[in-house]
Amino acid sequence: MTFYPNLLRPLLATAAVISLGACSAEPDMDKADMEPVAQTDGEAAAIAAALDAGDFMDLTLGAKIVGPQGPEVTGTLDTAEGSFADIRSYVACPDGMDPCDPKTAPEGTIFTYVHVVYPGEDNDPDSGSGDGNDSSDIERASAFKMLRPAHGFTGVVGYSKGEALAAVGAKADVVVTCKDGALIWSVEAGGGGDQWEQAEPLTFYWQSTLPPAGPAPAYAIDANYTEAKGSGPYPAAKEGVPNACIKSG
């Protein structure tokens, strides 16, 4: 499966503006007129590769899984030079399920993986890198991504559109794609506006039919043109469980 992430940004900028509530659109504008139009076969493939991203604020979640580190896992996304981001993650059961215990959860339970990523630091010494951050200020973070396949991925994925609007501006362009079975959230300013940068949190989520097996070095941020890696809750592979990023047959 081949995708074209660089083509997605200009093609989907209009759609991103609409989804983030840009006020310039006319209320009676025909929806079809606002859809990105492919000019080449490659652009058509790129548009088809983009996943439909939901808004985190529309989710209603149940209790969080309580693991050895408690209901949330905090850490950093690092390189050999230092920390480039804080990350706070948790996994929640569906609304109404409390407690959230994978051992007693009924068959078919959907688990929502949530990752709150702070480029640079979040100024909280008790979580992630905090005051210990020793990287340069993050002037531009361009993607949050998985480094391993999203086992059990249902196809439901998204981010906080309100946070993207606050961090990047009305031209925010957040495009979700698959690569080698993993998920990538590309964050751009579109045709203008600010960048996703220092201490601007963004919340990302995805859903799986599999519970976490524990923290794993499965996540990364592209910041200041550098890939910084770290750990977060991650499901183990299970035979026969599909991943919506991987086409069967």
Side-chain angles (χ1 to χ4, degrees):
M1 184 181 299
T2 302
F3 301 115
Y4 305 83
N6 291 332
L7 290 170
L8 287 170
R9 298 175 181 128
L11 288 170
L12 299 183
T14 301
V17 170
I18 295 164
S19 66
L20 292 174
C23 61
S24 58
E26 293 295 332
D28 59 350
M29 182 180 293
D30 184 80
K31 183 177 181 181
D33 294 337
M34 300 184 290
E35 297 290 336
V37 178
Q39 302 298 321
T40 67
D41 290 343
E43 291 176 355
I47 291 173
L51 302 177
D52 184 18
D55 190 347
F56 180 70
M57 295 304 294
D58 291 338
L59 294 181
T60 303
L61 301 177
K64 301 173 184 177
I65 294 176
V66 179
Q69 299 184 38
E72 298 186 349
V73 177
T74 58
T76 58
L77 301 174
D78 307 314
T79 69
E81 286 71 38
S83 299
F84 277 70
D86 283 1
I87 180 170
R88 176 171 58 85
S89 306
Y90 60 89
V91 182
C93 281
D95 183 31
M97 189 176 294
D98 189 0
C100 181
D101 185 351
K103 295 180 180 179
T104 59
E107 188 74 21
T109 296
I110 301 297
F111 299 94
T112 301
Y113 288 71
V114 180
H115 311 281
V116 186
V117 181
Y118 299 79
E121 59 178 299
D122 64 354
N123 299 312
D124 182 352
D126 295 325
S127 69
S129 56
D131 290 341
N133 178 279
D134 54 4
S135 70
S136 301
D137 287 348
I138 303 303
E139 296 179 355
R140 181 188 181 195
S142 58
F144 173 65
K145 58 190 180 183
M146 297 183 68
L147 301 173
R148 300 182 182 186
H151 301 308
F153 175 47
T154 65
V156 176
V157 64
Y159 61 98
S160 172
K161 297 186 178 182
E163 289 175 353
L165 182 65
V168 187
K171 300 244 182 227
D173 181 10
V174 180
V175 180
V176 187
T177 55
C178 296
K179 181 178 181 181
D180 300 328
L183 290 161
I184 301 173
W185 291 259
S186 298
V187 183
E188 293 291 342
D194 204 353
Q195 299 290 335
W196 182 29
E197 55 192 349
Q198 183 79 13
E200 293 179 333
L202 275 183
T203 300
F204 306 92
Y205 73 89
W206 60 287
Q207 293 187 338
S208 173
T209 56
L210 296 172
Y219 302 95
I221 187 174
D222 288 339
N224 289 1
Y225 305 98
T226 298
E227 182 183 77
K229 306 174 183 180
S231 294
Y234 179 73
K238 185 176 181 180
E239 186 176 356
V241 176
N243 173 350
C245 273
I246 300 176
K247 291 184 178 180
S248 60

